[in-house]
Structures are given as C-alpha cells and as structure tokens.
C-alpha cells in the first residue's frame, strides 16, 4: 500500500465512523411530539404563565418521562384537535374514549385511570331527571367549545327552546340562578371547579353518562403503534409507583 492509498483509506475510515456515530446520535434524539389539550379545568388548562397545567397534564408529563418521549403541549378547541389528529399535525391527545368521529384515523390506549362524567346540572327545586329523554322538554344551557361527543344532538334539537350557548361555566351558572335555563349540560369536573368561585346551595348533578379518559394517537404519526405501546407501558410504570390520592384515583 503506497502513501496515497493509505491516506485515502484512513480518510474513508474516518468518514465511515463519522457517519455511523452521527447516525446513531441522530437516532437517539427523540422527536418532539405535539400533544393537544382542551381547556377542561382542573384536569387541563393554561396557568397564569400560559403553560399547560392540571392533573391530566401532570400525569401525561410523568408518563412521557417514563416512556422516554419528548412532548410539547398545545391548547386547541375541540374541532381543531379532531382535524389535527386526522392530518397528523397533532400526535396524540388525552381525550374521551371511542369518539365516533375519530374512529377511522386514530388509535387508543386503555383507560388512564380517570373517568369523565357528563351531567345535567341544576339548582333548587328542578326535578330529578328520570331519563335523558326528559331533557327535551326543558330549557338547556351548553358550554361553547364542548361537543358532548354528539350523543345528545337529538335531545338538543327536540328541546322546548334552542339551547343557550354560554361562553364559560360562570356565565352558565348565572343563567341558572336567574331562572333563564333549567339545566346546564356539562362535565362534573369543570362544574366543580366553577362552583369554588360561584357557590350554589341546593344544587345537583344528574349523571347522563360516564366514560374513560384515554390517549388518542393519530395514525398519521410516525410509529403510531410504538407511541401507543410506549404510552400504555409508561402509564403502568407510573401507576405502579403512585401513592393514594394521586390523579390516578377517580374523584367520583
């Protein structure tokens, strides 16, 4: 081997090692996953600094750390979350199980230990609901941005008056207090949060439905099955070390 051949060989070896270890380093750097959340206090909301906060946010951060996933939170309205899951701009979302509109383009983990409860909330002497169908004869108030999984659309269309859409729970509770509506259709956790600042005596929540919270993963996400598995296993590891009174313990 002459001088030039030897120098070329050493240069080639150096280039090969650089490409090999450079490639390994690139593979070890995890891609940042975009994770959406809906404003749903106290489970998920933006704090005073504009950062994601709440029990579900904290739980997901722990699971991501257990799974070696790097995530970035974005706060979107529900329809934008649906669109983002459909086109892959959102990698996953902690949301409701078995939403028909998401079935064709998402995967789901098992329950992450938290239930969502849908209520017909009322004040005073409003009768207890004997069935969901009884809502149709009453004045209803809904919360802007909530879809209610579309399961009550027929009821809303049959109600005595077109449902009022309130901008938030405080405004909705005021409508009930002033007698402009009979029932607020919303979820137990945000209602409880709102009642801390707007206490109401003699109030009740007739349960309309309950379902688990899961991680909904977009099929457009690279290695969607791997992310689904990582989230599922990460939850089990995080749950194993969790103590009583954590976000894993259901409030209802």
């Amino acid at each position: 081997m002459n001088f030039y051949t030897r120098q070329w060989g050493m240069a080639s070896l150096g280039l090969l090692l650089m490409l090999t270890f450079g490639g390994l380093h690139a593979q070890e750097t995890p891609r940042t996953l975009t994770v959406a959340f809906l404003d749903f206090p106290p489970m998920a909301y933006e704090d005073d600094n504009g950062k994601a906060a709440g029990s579900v946010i904290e739980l997901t951060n722990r699971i991501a750390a257990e799974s070696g996933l790097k995530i970035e939170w974005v706060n979107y309205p529900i329809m934008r979350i649906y669109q983002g899951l459909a086109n892959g701009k959102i990698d996953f979302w902690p949301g409701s199980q078995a939403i028909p509109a998401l079935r064709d383009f998402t995967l789901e983990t098992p329950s992450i230990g938290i239930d969502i409860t849908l209520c017909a909330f009322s004040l005073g002497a409003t009768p207890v609901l004997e069935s969901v169908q009884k809502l149709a004869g009453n004045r209803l108030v809904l919360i802007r941005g909530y879809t209610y999984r579309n399961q009550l659309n027929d009821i809303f269309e049959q109600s005595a008056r077109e449902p009022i859409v309130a901008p938030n729970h405080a405004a909705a509770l005021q409508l009930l207090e002033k007698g402009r509506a009979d029932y607020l259709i919303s979820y137990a956790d945000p209602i409880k949060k709102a009642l801390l600042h707007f206490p109401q005596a003699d109030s009740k929540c007739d349960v309309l439905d309950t379902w688990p919270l899961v991680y909904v993963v977009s099929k457009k996400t690279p290695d969607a099955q791997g992310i689904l598995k990582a989230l599922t296993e990460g939850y089990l590891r995080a749950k194993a070390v969790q103590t009583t009174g954590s976000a894993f313990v259901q409030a209802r």
Side-chain angles (χ1 to χ4, degrees), residues 28-210:
E28 291 171 357
T29 303
R31 181 175 68 88
T32 299
L33 302 176
T34 300
V35 188
F37 72 96
L38 178 69
D39 189 52
F40 200 90
M43 292 185 178
Y45 59 93
E46 282 191 356
D47 64 16
D48 293 338
N49 297 316
K51 294 185 177 181
S55 57
V56 170
I57 304 295
E58 294 170 3
L59 170 60
T60 305
N61 288 339
R62 291 200 300 272
I63 291 173
E66 286 284 347
S67 307
L69 301 175
K70 186 177 180 182
I71 64 174
E72 179 180 27
W73 289 100
V74 292
N75 183 7
Y76 288 155
I78 190 63
M79 295 313 298
R80 188 169 178 185
I81 292 176
Y82 287 7
Q83 293 167 1
L85 290 168
N87 60 31
K89 292 184 178 180
I90 293 172
D91 294 301
F92 72 90
W93 167 54
S96 298
Q97 183 188 59
I99 296 176
L102 302 180
R103 183 181 300 127
D104 293 339
F105 48 84
T106 60
L107 306 168
E108 292 182 1
T109 67
S111 169
I112 59 173
I114 300 171
D115 282 352
I116 302 298
T117 299
L118 181 62
C119 287
F121 182 83
S122 59
L123 305 176
T126 306
V128 174
L129 289 174
E130 298 175 357
S131 68
V132 174
Q133 285 68 33
K134 293 291 185 180
L135 281 173
N138 290 277
R139 299 168 300 166
L140 308 178
V141 56
L142 315 179
I143 301 297
R144 181 178 300 149
Y146 286 4
T147 65
Y148 309 99
R149 302 175 86 206
N150 296 324
Q151 67 192 75
L152 298 178
N153 285 357
D154 289 344
I155 299 296
F156 298 153
E157 292 174 1
Q158 298 166 14
S159 62
R161 301 179 186 177
E162 183 175 348
I164 301 171
V165 180
N168 51 52
H169 285 84
L173 290 172
Q174 289 176 2
L175 290 172
L176 292 183
E177 187 179 49
K178 293 176 180 178
R180 293 182 57 193
D182 301 311
Y183 295 95
L184 162 60
I185 309 302
S186 189
Y187 300 96
D189 293 275
I191 290 174
K192 290 177 184 177
K193 177 72 173 178
L195 287 174
L196 294 176
H197 307 284
F198 198 91
Q200 292 289 328
D202 194 22
S203 61
K204 61 182 182 297
C205 183
D206 294 321
V207 175
L208 303 178
D209 200 0
T210 301

